[in-house]
Amino acid sequence: MPSEPKVNILMVDDHPENLLALEAILEGLGQNLVKAHSGMEALRCLLNQDFAVILLDVQMPDMDGFETATLIRQRARSHSTPIIFLTAFSTSDTLQIRGYSLGAVDYLFKPIQPEILTSKVAVFVELYQKTAQIERQAAELKKNEERFRRLSASSPVGIFLIDPAGKCTYMNSRCQIICECTREQITENWWQIIHLEERDRIFNEWSACFQSGQEYSNEFRIQTQSTVRWVHLRSSPMLCDKGEVIGYVGTLEDISDRKQAEAERSKLIYEQAARAEAEAANRMKDEFLAVLSHELRTPLNSILGWARLLRTRKFDEKTIAKALETIERNAKSQAQLIEDILDISRIIQGKLRLHLCPVNLIPIIEAAINAVRPAAEAKAIQLETYFDTNTNLVCADPERLQQVIWNLLTNAIKFTPERGIVAVRVESIDAAHTQIHVQDTGIGISPDFLPYVFDTFRQGDSTTTRSHGGLGLGLGIVRHLVELHHGTVAVDSAGEGQGTTFTVTLPVLEKVPGAALESLPSLS
């Protein structure tokens, strides 16, 4: 080649040291080496000079190698000039494909072997000098294209391209296998393979991402000719140099096996949870029956014992009065247990009814306090009240509402040690609601049990040897009665030994719809 005129070789890289390295490698070819430090500088060089080959760095600020190559290809004068992309940052097939789509003749990775680069550039120098070598260039390009076609065909996931009009323009063989169709069969309406139950939703979501130039990723079902498959679709926009979406490239992965495994695992977890729940319900039932037996037997033993003694022995009037008082107290206790059971039965069967009327809360609360005062005095518990006299009327059944307050107070006194404090506070929290707070300094509730406080048949200690009596029905009854009044009840405790606060929230009378009042039947 010494007798041939020198040809121009354009080297484009934003790092001067890289240009020096390229110059050192190629100077042995004896050609005219032109250096450009940016894409814009390279374009200026192309205005007045022709080049046998362009060595173009992919990663450059302001204008990268792909954008520069795009502009080079838009000019008729440089449209066919060979371009070799150089990069040290990525070995991505997608980037290589993009480079080749811009007409690149090769895609080399740094550090570059001098012998390889020299031989490649020498070929294009010779091609430039001799028209006959164009056929060799075509053959090399065809070889590279075939290589990437084989890579696409061997891909473990489906690959497809969508043009700006939403038409499918390419599907690799794996994609066709998953969809059980060819590109020609779904060019215009590729979304028709999406399962009918999900088609509109998926297509609308994907279209929104397509129009806004965003990436899309989702899992859904497709309906093929032979079966229903789960697939994972991912797609990303392809942008032109102006930043406009010129199409989408996507992948399609068959995830049917994974979805089936997940479904079987979920079913197993559900069955285990259901089994555990059933076992827990059986345990609660057994525990409740044991507690019920104990709670009913205890007062009955006292009643029968004193009745037998009164019948078989003679006692003075003081002893007889004490015996009758004990019998009456235990009979009332047993009657209360039975009444609680009947209330729960009515609640479960939906037969509990209310007599609703405008109610002032304060007299009802005072009546409940007076009813529990003897029990509080027996333990030297101080009962405190804080009433907001500006509270509005509520629509309630006075008897049932008093039962709610009585249950909360009884519960507070039961679990508060001697010389403790039980406080009742009534306040209007807004124009629509009134709250009743029952706060104690008792044993508190553990965080683990707090979510189950209002569950029927549930107790923190369900053994028959526990220190506090009762069936654990009271708070369940409270919750149902409050909900029948269109209210809510909540509980708060800082933990064991930190006391407990129950809060009942009721709508004021003005906010209870008239239709709701009329729809509530009377107490049966």
Side-chain angles (χ1 to χ4, degrees):
M1 290 193 297
S3 60
E4 297 288 340
K6 291 184 178 181
V7 299
N8 298 321
I9 300 173
L10 180 59
M11 303 177 298
V12 187
D13 199 305
D14 59 313
H15 294 287
E17 62 271 22
N18 290 342
L19 291 175
L20 290 174
L22 291 174
E23 187 177 30
I25 293 172
L26 300 176
E27 64 181 359
L29 295 176
Q31 306 301 326
N32 184 30
L33 303 179
V34 180
K35 293 180 286 187
H37 298 83
S38 66
M40 289 301 298
E41 186 176 351
L43 294 175
R44 285 195 293 269
C45 293
L46 286 165
L47 291 176
N48 301 313
Q49 293 176 286
D50 293 327
F51 294 89
V53 64
I54 301 172
L55 306 181
L56 186 56
D57 184 42
V58 173
Q59 300 289 340
M60 294 188 297
D62 299 328
M63 183 186 299
D64 64 20
F66 295 137
E67 294 171 328
T68 303
T70 301
L71 294 174
I72 291 173
R73 290 291 179 253
Q74 291 177 354
R75 296 179 67 250
R77 185 170 176 176
S78 57
H79 184 269
S80 300
T81 303
I83 298 175
I84 297 177
F85 280 105
L86 308 177
T87 183
F89 295 93
S90 175
T91 61
S92 169
D93 287 347
T94 302
L95 291 180
Q96 294 183 52
I97 293 172
R98 185 178 179 187
Y100 282 100
S101 69
L102 292 171
V105 295
D106 216 327
Y107 200 107
L108 301 181
F109 303 100
K110 302 175 184 178
I112 298 170
Q113 296 184 25
E115 297 81 7
I116 294 177
L117 181 60
T118 301
S119 63
K120 288 183 179 293
V121 173
V123 168
F124 292 112
V125 168
E126 186 176 0
L127 288 174
Y128 187 82
Q129 294 172 334
K130 298 180 180 180
T131 307
Q133 296 299 322
I134 294 177
E135 295 179 359
R136 181 179 176 183
Q137 178 188 12
E140 184 68 19
L141 289 174
K142 185 177 180 180
K143 181 180 178 181
N144 289 338
E145 290 172 358
E146 181 62 27
R147 180 185 304 119
F148 281 97
R149 278 197 295 269
R150 288 197 299 269
L151 288 174
S152 178
S154 303
S155 172
V157 298
I159 301 173
F160 63 89
L161 296 176
I162 303 294
D163 69 10
K167 298 179 180 179
C168 180
T169 60
Y170 172 76
M171 294 173 63
N172 72 343
S173 58
R174 179 57 182 167
C175 192
Q176 295 179 35
I177 291 172
I178 293 174
C179 299
E180 294 186 10
C181 61
T182 64
R183 180 191 64 80
E184 290 76 15
Q185 291 174 315
I186 60 170
T187 297
E188 300 288 340
N189 53 356
W190 58 268
W191 57 88
Q192 295 299 321
I193 66 172
I194 301 175
H195 195 279
L196 184 60
E197 295 178 1
E198 303 181 79
R199 185 177 302 162
D200 291 342
R201 176 179 63 86
I202 297 300
F203 180 71
N204 291 335
E205 292 176 358
W206 185 87
S207 296
C209 291
F210 183 89
Q211 295 299 328
S212 59
Q214 298 178 348
E215 294 184 353
Y216 181 74
S217 177
N218 206 345
E219 297 178 354
F220 53 87
R221 292 171 295 168
I222 62 172
Q223 178 69 64
T224 67
Q225 296 178 3
S226 63
T227 187
V228 173
R229 284 194 175 97
W230 274 95
V231 297
H232 188 178
L233 181 144
R234 299 180 181 89
S235 62
S236 300
M238 294 187 295
L239 306 178
C240 67
D241 56 339
K242 296 181 180 180
E244 298 175 351
V245 177
I246 59 174
Y248 260 75
V249 59
T251 61
L252 195 68
E253 182 181 1
D254 187 345
I255 59 171
S256 300
D257 292 342
R258 174 167 66 81
K259 281 294 184 178
Q260 183 178 357
E262 289 177 356
E264 292 175 353
R265 186 162 55 250
S266 297
K267 180 180 178 181
L268 178 60
I269 293 173
Y270 174 80
E271 291 174 349
Q272 291 174 342
R275 189 182 303 112
E277 185 176 350
E279 292 173 354
N282 284 332
R283 285 197 303 271
M284 288 173 57
K285 180 192 68 176
D286 294 341
E287 291 169 356
F288 173 74
L289 291 176
V291 171
L292 174 62
S293 174
H294 174 79
E295 291 295 328
L296 290 175
R297 188 185 301 112
T298 298
L300 185 61
N301 288 339
S302 181
I303 292 171
L304 291 175
W306 275 109
R308 187 180 296 110
L309 289 174
L310 289 174
R311 189 177 60 182
T312 58
R313 298 184 185 182
K314 293 183 178 181
F315 296 101
D316 56 27
E317 292 184 0
K318 184 177 180 180
T319 302
I320 293 173
K322 179 181 178 182
L324 292 175
E325 179 184 351
T326 301
I327 291 173
E328 181 181 11
R329 183 174 67 253
N330 283 278
K332 287 181 178 180
S333 174
Q334 194 170 54
Q336 183 61 52
L337 291 174
I338 295 172
E339 188 60 34
D340 284 348
I341 295 172
L342 292 176
D343 277 347
I344 287 296
S345 177
R346 295 186 192 106
I347 290 171
I348 293 174
Q349 298 178 53
K351 294 182 178 180
L352 188 64
R353 301 291 184 263
L354 303 179
H355 284 304
L356 298 174
C357 62
V359 169
N360 186 338
L361 287 175
I362 294 178
I364 290 179
I365 295 173
E366 289 177 338
I369 291 174
N370 289 333
V372 301
R373 194 177 298 278
E377 291 176 349
K379 297 176 67 175
I381 292 175
Q382 183 178 348
L383 295 175
E384 298 180 351
T385 57
Y386 305 92
F387 295 155
D388 180 358
T389 57
N390 294 322
T391 54
N392 295 314
L393 298 177
V394 299
C395 181
D397 181 325
E399 180 180 344
R400 289 300 183 179
L401 193 55
Q402 183 173 331
Q403 182 181 359
V404 168
I405 308 303
W406 182 87
N407 269 329
L408 292 178
L409 288 171
T410 301
N411 187 78
I413 293 171
K414 179 191 299 184
F415 293 103
T416 299
E418 293 185 356
R419 294 180 174 79
I421 299 174
V422 174
V424 183
R425 186 171 72 256
V426 181
E427 61 181 351
S428 294
I429 57 172
D430 53 40
H433 298 88
T434 294
Q435 282 188 340
I436 306 167
H437 305 276
V438 178
Q439 184 177 9
D440 64 60
T441 59
I443 63 175
I445 303 173
S446 67
D448 292 339
F449 186 70
L450 205 59
Y452 309 106
V453 167
F454 297 105
D455 287 2
T456 305
F457 308 127
R458 175 88 72 156
Q459 289 184 311
D461 177 11
S462 59
T463 63
T464 57
T465 59
R466 67 201 191 288
S467 58
H468 304 285
L471 299 177
L473 302 179
L475 293 179
I477 294 172
V478 166
R479 185 191 66 182
H480 287 287
L481 289 178
V482 171
E483 290 175 352
L484 284 176
H485 284 84
H486 305 287
T488 60
V489 60
V491 61
D492 181 61
S493 177
E496 295 182 359
Q498 302 297 314
T500 306
T501 300
F502 287 89
T503 301
V504 176
T505 303
L506 297 171
V508 301
L509 184 60
E510 289 81 359
K511 297 299 180 181
V512 177
L517 295 180
E518 295 175 0
S519 65
L520 288 172
S522 299
L523 180 64
S524 59

